[in-house]
Amino acid sequence: MTLRRRIVLLTVIGALCVGTIAIVAGASVAGSTVAGSTVAGSTVAGSTVVAFYGDSYTRGTGASNRAARWSTIVSAEHDWTEVNPSTNGLGFVNNRANLPGPDLVDRVIGAKPDIVFSTMGLNDNFVMRDRADDVRAAIERDFTEMKRALPDARFIIVEPFWYTDDRPESVERIIGWVRDAAAAIDADYIPGASHWLDGHPEWMAADNLHPNDVGYAEIANRMDAELAKLGL
């Protein structure tokens, strides 16, 4: 860990408190204490607003507090204003009908971000048997809708995360659909994220489903390296 990252982590952790959220049922990424997912990061007027479209791995489930999740670490390092409505158990299709309040696509658009991250896709593996066509169509629809509403935003589409050594065939299918949909809207694409936790059970929280603070720090490291390749 670099000196800059240590300073950022200590600063942000000191400014934020621990939160607990209810878990959305019906997906593998459920059942853990987690940081909240409200706006975080720099609030300086004119700062870059970054919206995160994802599930519990981007919400920060398993982290000890909001400051420890990868999105907040990365946002603090870049002096971004973080808007993170990511929701436990959610996919492009999975648990969509059970989502309270506005859909995440609408919340991302409403933030009027300069940059949009998408990490969605993990939870759709649990509905692929019956709804594969719906998943593929939803990926294309969500990206197209956000791009149309936010034509000047930069889109960074991340390969969906995965959490076990066992990888059903559906993981690669969803990854391929996400990659193709990213290309269709001329987005930046970050590959390999489904393997970032491979071989490191010590990076997982007590539920064995989500990263712990160390795991999220490792994701932040990998994300930083990929963002540097994109000039960020």
Side-chain angles (χ1 to χ4, degrees), residues 84-100:
N84 191 344
S86 299
T87 300
N88 292 330
L90 199 67
F92 291 101
V93 167
N94 194 57
N95 281 324
R96 212 72 186 203
N98 301 323
L99 184 65

Side-chain angles (χ1 to χ4, degrees), residues 5 56-58 60-61 68-71 73-74 77 117 119 158-159 161-163 190 193-198 203-204 210-227:
R5 171 157 290 153
S56 60
Y57 269 55
T58 300
T61 301
R69 62 186 179 182
W70 72 264
S71 61
I73 295 170
V74 170
E77 290 183 337
F117 273 83
T119 61
V158 181
E159 178 180 296
F161 296 119
W162 190 244
Y163 67 106
I190 294 178
S194 67
H195 291 284
W196 286 356
L197 299 173
D198 285 1
W203 292 352
M204 301 301 285
H210 301 91
N212 56 24
D213 288 0
V214 176
Y216 281 119
E218 293 295 334
I219 291 175
N221 277 331
R222 296 295 297 269
M223 197 68 71
D224 273 339
E226 295 299 326
L227 293 176

Side-chain angles (χ1 to χ4, degrees), residues 145-185:
E145 182 178 348
M146 288 190 288
K147 179 67 174 180
R148 183 182 299 117
L150 302 166
D152 297 324
R154 182 171 185 175
F155 283 79
I156 300 173
I157 310 302
V158 181
E159 178 180 296
F161 296 119
W162 190 244
Y163 67 106
T164 65
D165 292 337
D166 179 28
R167 295 170 64 88
E169 179 269 342
S170 60
V171 171
E172 296 303 327
R173 291 180 69 191
I174 292 172
I175 287 172
W177 294 340
V178 167
R179 183 179 59 244
D180 292 346
I185 64 166

Side-chain angles (χ1 to χ4, degrees), residues 2-232:
T2 65
L3 177 60
R4 173 174 170 76
R5 171 157 290 153
R6 290 193 185 97
I7 293 170
V8 168
L9 281 173
L10 289 172
T11 301
V12 178
I13 289 171
L16 297 173
C17 62
V18 176
T20 303
I21 62 169
I23 306 300
V24 176
S28 74
V29 285
S32 174
T33 298
V34 58
S37 61
T38 54
V39 174
S42 172
T43 56
V44 177
S47 66
T48 299
V49 176
V50 182
F52 291 84
Y53 176 58
D55 50 41
S56 60
Y57 269 55
T58 300
R59 184 180 177 99
T61 301
S64 62
N65 60 74
R66 185 173 63 186
R69 62 186 179 182
W70 72 264
S71 61
T72 302
I73 295 170
V74 170
S75 293
E77 290 183 337
H78 288 81
D79 294 323
W80 290 338
T81 293
E82 177 187 5
V83 179
N84 191 344
S86 299
T87 300
N88 292 330
L90 199 67
F92 291 101
V93 167
N94 194 57
N95 281 324
R96 212 72 186 203
N98 301 323
L99 184 65
D103 189 80
L104 256 66
V105 169
D106 296 327
R107 294 175 69 179
V108 166
I109 292 171
K112 299 180 180 179
D114 302 291
I115 299 173
V116 176
F117 273 83
S118 173
T119 61
M120 195 75 79
L122 187 160
N123 290 296
D124 292 300
N125 286 278
F126 309 108
V127 297
M128 281 287 284
R129 181 184 298 272
D130 300 317
R131 303 193 64 186
D133 290 343
D134 292 340
V135 171
R136 184 172 189 173
I139 295 169
E140 296 172 354
R141 181 177 62 249
D142 285 1
F143 288 179
T144 300
E145 182 178 348
M146 288 190 288
K147 179 67 174 180
R148 183 182 299 117
L150 302 166
D152 297 324
R154 182 171 185 175
F155 283 79
I156 300 173
I157 310 302
V158 181
E159 178 180 296
F161 296 119
W162 190 244
Y163 67 106
T164 65
D165 292 337
D166 179 28
R167 295 170 64 88
E169 179 269 342
S170 60
V171 171
E172 296 303 327
R173 291 180 69 191
I174 292 172
I175 287 172
W177 294 340
V178 167
R179 183 179 59 244
D180 292 346
I185 64 166
D186 196 28
D188 294 309
Y189 181 74
I190 294 178
S194 67
H195 291 284
W196 286 356
L197 299 173
D198 285 1
H200 289 280
E202 74 277 13
W203 292 352
M204 301 301 285
D207 63 5
N208 292 317
L209 300 174
H210 301 91
N212 56 24
D213 288 0
V214 176
Y216 281 119
E218 293 295 334
I219 291 175
N221 277 331
R222 296 295 297 269
M223 197 68 71
D224 273 339
E226 295 299 326
L227 293 176
K229 296 176 185 177
L230 298 176
L232 291 170

